Amino acid sequence: MPAPHSRIPVERIIKPQSLAIIGASEDIGKFGGRFMHNVVRHGYAGRLLPINPGRETILGRPCFPNIGAAPGPIDVALVAVPAAQLRQTIEECGAAGVGACVVITAQLGEFSEAGAALQDEIVQVAAKYGMRLVGPNCLGMITPTHALGLTSSPTLQYAETLPRGSVGFVSQSGALMGTLFVLGYDHGIGFTSIVTVGNQADLELCDFFEVLIEDDETEVICLYVEALKTPMRFVELAQRARARGKRVLAVKAGRTEAGSAAARSHTASLAGSYAAFETVCEETGVLLMDEPEAMILAAGVLARAPRMGPGGIGMVVSSGGGGAVTADRFTVAGLPLAQWTEATRTRLDTHFPRTHQNNPVDLGAHFGALGPHIFKHAMDAVADDANTAAFIYTMTPQPLMPQTVDFVIDVWTRHTKPTIFVLDTSRFGEDVRQKLLQSGMPYLTRIDDAMRVLELLVRERDHGALAERAAPLRPQGAGPLSKTLPSGFLTEPEAKALFRSYGIATTQDRTVSTAQDAVKAAEAIGYPVVAKGVSRTVVHKSDVGLVRLGLSDADAVTQAFDEISRALAAAGDAGNPTVVIQEMVRGEAELIVGARHDEGFGPQVMVGFGGVMVEVLRDVRLASAPLDHDRARALLRKLKLWPILDGVRGRPKLDVDAVADTLVRLSWLAHDLGPRLQDLEINPLIVRVAGKGAVAVDGRGTLTEQA
Ligand code: ADP
Ligand code: MG
């Protein structure tokens, strides 16, 4: 519940003019002591008000017995009291006119029902006063641009200063703050602000995300997400960040949750909530990563790197072996390596034989004696090459390290291309590292991190026009939705009727309940036919013998009918058997096309290679619904097995337009169903050669009751 009237804007919370520390102490072994020491050590310039009934002064500052006795106005109060005193403390802060409380106290909503109840209570108390809450269960914040180190993390005693830079970070995990702050510190990465939001009882991740977007000094925003409180606001903010030219990096926990959930359809198991988040990140240009430390290191490089233009990666290495492995890894990872222009080759001729003018250029493979000039020559030639869109230099232990580091710093300063420096020397390279820290040039120590940054740069470049698309148009004949929709688990005929009402091509099913009618239906359709048992309880029909393919005469149909009837009875379907007879569709590929309604991000569609192998292949792509034809085609092109659709090795091109059209129509159906949709699935959509269409031969779905 948001505060009805806020006493303080959110940006002021990370840059308070006055700060009270409740439970302040001089003892650095205590929680309240560490907060005091950290705030004082890093030179907070606002009014600092220690609160402790037992002390006159703390670290030379006058101390107040309670918050009510401290002179106002008080922007922020740090609250780290035991849970038993929490309600009372929040009440006192509210009464004293405090703008916001940063609540460190844990074992609340994240811990127990009683804790959750107390958490709700403090939110209500705060709201009564228009006081905002950060946390509970957070670890405070660090705002280098305001000289504020409001956290108990001992890393702030290790750090001599709070490094100021252009990276902002909002974290749902408190402990990550210390880890990543000190990692950044050692790498010379400067921050505008790092905020931990804990349980997000009042203020949440998006509130601070927004503050960082609006903050002029923040260029790169990192987010560590566990669960978003307001997913659609996240999407909106991600778009705004993009419009402002700010890079957003994110790591989200819970990637494997979808895999473990017992799923009622392929769509549910392949397109869970992590996949939904991944999809909106892709669509809004948020660079989703898999690891928080890698995110901060990447942010440090990106904060000082331009965007990547057309071309590939140009690389110089001081270890031939390491370079060869790296080149292999880049190729496997799909990172494009630059081809040297003729001008670059001619330039390299001075020191490198043509046979060794590879990418990467190996500094060891030169004519004559090795000297610093060779390093400079190779780096400049590679970085200046017109095909080099991003430059990378890996320094391994060698005698000329301190003499040659200036050359790479020069490339980084001079060029409008991303320049990545990997200092692969362990602590042997400490003097080089010091030089880098002084120059402000970012560095990495592992090629893995460099690959991640390059991959992000490529992703950012490819993202291109995606975000600026116009709203998609509804194709002719897609809807409207019937007024009387079935609900619960839909059988194949029910699902297909829904698909047909949106203009999706399906087989025409004839439903029968006697063998005689089955034969009549088969004759009307024309042999060969397919017979399937219809059941509301069976998810995968072929698993229990309910699908009979390629029936070519009346005897085969009669026999199939009998067998399916028995299989239906065995599967628990009492009463008359329901069997559908349909045409046997021939085609070149089987795709899965699905849709689901994500609780947070709304309707999304999925397309991939299907049939019974879908979970094994895991070759699917997702998009927010509705989408247009171009976007649908773009998704198809991203499938690993796209060459099969595009015609490979003499195979014909398949009807990609028909697949895209099916996806677009299903996306409108998903859009129109709204939250009633749980999931819908065509599996398979049989795709014929170009111009011959695609047909949904199987369908299923689950709709909830009309609200
Ligand atoms: P389920 O997925 O419930 O097991 P399907 O209806 O998808 O049942 O049938 C299983 C497989 O049989 C499909 O993946 C497809 O390969 C094939 N099949 C089903 N119906 C047809 C049809 N009408 N024409 C051609 N092949 C079909
Ligand atoms: Mg199927």
Side-chain angles (χ1 to χ4, degrees), residues 158-512:
Y158 159 80
E160 277 168 30
T161 55
L162 299 179
R164 195 176 167 140
S166 60
V167 178
F169 175 37
V170 190
S171 175
Q172 250 180 282
S173 155
L176 261 185
M177 176 163 68
T179 312
L180 299 185
F181 167 77
V182 77
L183 178 76
Y185 182 80
D186 282 345
H187 281 78
I189 299 170
F191 296 93
T192 49
S193 190
I194 306 177
V195 185
T196 64
V197 295
N199 294 358
Q200 311 187 95
D202 171 26
L203 290 167
E204 51 129 344
L205 182 123
C206 283
D207 290 302
F208 294 99
F209 183 15
E210 183 167 20
V211 165
L212 294 177
I213 293 170
E214 299 301 332
D215 176 50
D216 288 339
E217 280 181 76
T218 305
E219 301 287 349
V220 180
I221 300 169
C222 295
L223 304 170
Y224 170 75
V225 183
E226 281 169 5
L228 288 173
K229 231 174 131 181
T230 50
M232 292 316 284
R233 184 172 172 214
F234 174 82
V235 174
E236 220 176 279
L237 290 173
Q239 280 158 345
R240 201 200 296 176
R242 192 187 139 74
R244 304 268 153 99
K246 303 200 172 183
R247 286 165 160 143
V248 182
L249 276 57
V251 170
K252 186 176 184 299
R255 190 173 191 167
T256 53
E257 162 237 54
S260 62
R264 194 125 162 80
S265 70
H266 301 294
T267 304
S269 75
L270 293 167
S273 62
Y274 185 89
F277 182 74
E278 200 172 16
T279 304
V280 300
C281 285
E282 191 184 312
E283 289 172 343
T284 55
V286 170
L287 301 169
L288 185 60
M289 300 184 69
D290 57 3
E291 212 252 311
E293 298 199 4
M295 170 168 70
I296 293 301
L297 294 175
V301 176
L302 293 179
R304 288 165 282 181
R307 276 155 216 273
M308 190 169 158
I313 295 157
M315 197 175 2
V316 174
V317 295
S318 59
S319 151
V325 172
T326 304
D328 286 344
R329 293 187 61 197
F330 278 30
T331 308
V332 171
L335 291 169
L337 286 168
Q339 300 267 351
W340 309 141
T341 60
E342 202 39 51
T344 300
R345 290 191 178 281
T346 310
R347 197 168 163 186
L348 286 169
D349 284 343
T350 325
H351 292 295
F352 294 88
R354 282 264 158 158
T355 50
H356 285 75
Q357 293 179 5
N358 304 320
N359 186 3
V361 168
D362 172 11
L363 288 166
H366 60 94
F367 307 120
L370 182 66
H373 65 290
I374 304 275
F375 286 71
K376 175 143 186 64
H377 173 77
M379 284 187 212
D380 286 348
V382 168
D384 293 349
D385 188 294
N387 292 335
T388 295
F391 174 75
I392 171 167
Y393 173 55
T394 311
M395 184 184 267
T396 49
Q398 33 90 4
L400 297 175
M401 282 170 22
Q403 294 94 311
T404 55
V405 65
D406 289 338
F407 305 146
V408 70
I409 295 174
D410 175 59
V411 168
W412 173 65
T413 331
R414 191 159 55 81
H415 267 288
T416 54
K417 302 173 179 182
T419 300
I420 295 171
F421 182 56
V422 181
L423 182 61
D424 188 7
T425 57
S426 299
R427 291 184 62 188
F428 174 63
E430 184 57 25
D431 47 353
V432 172
R433 195 177 78 90
Q434 290 303 335
K435 249 185 157 166
L436 290 165
L437 291 179
Q438 273 159 28
S439 73
M441 180 176 186
Y443 74 96
L444 300 166
T445 59
R446 287 184 51 81
I447 198 75
D448 286 81
D449 291 315
M451 285 177 67
R452 282 184 164 110
V453 173
L454 288 165
E455 194 267 326
L456 295 180
L457 286 164
V458 170
R459 222 196 290 174
E460 181 178 74
R461 181 176 74 178
D462 292 350
H463 180 255
L466 189 59
E468 280 101 33
R469 306 185 78 87
L473 292 175
R474 185 184 287 267
Q476 287 262 313
L481 214 48
S482 150
K483 295 237 162 10
T484 53
L485 283 176
S487 61
F489 180 71
L490 307 188
T491 61
E492 180 180 325
E494 286 167 341
K496 282 175 167 172
L498 200 53
F499 299 150
R500 277 196 294 275
S501 69
Y502 276 68
I504 295 170
T506 71
T507 52
Q508 292 297 329
D509 297 351
R510 295 188 182 220
T511 305
V512 299

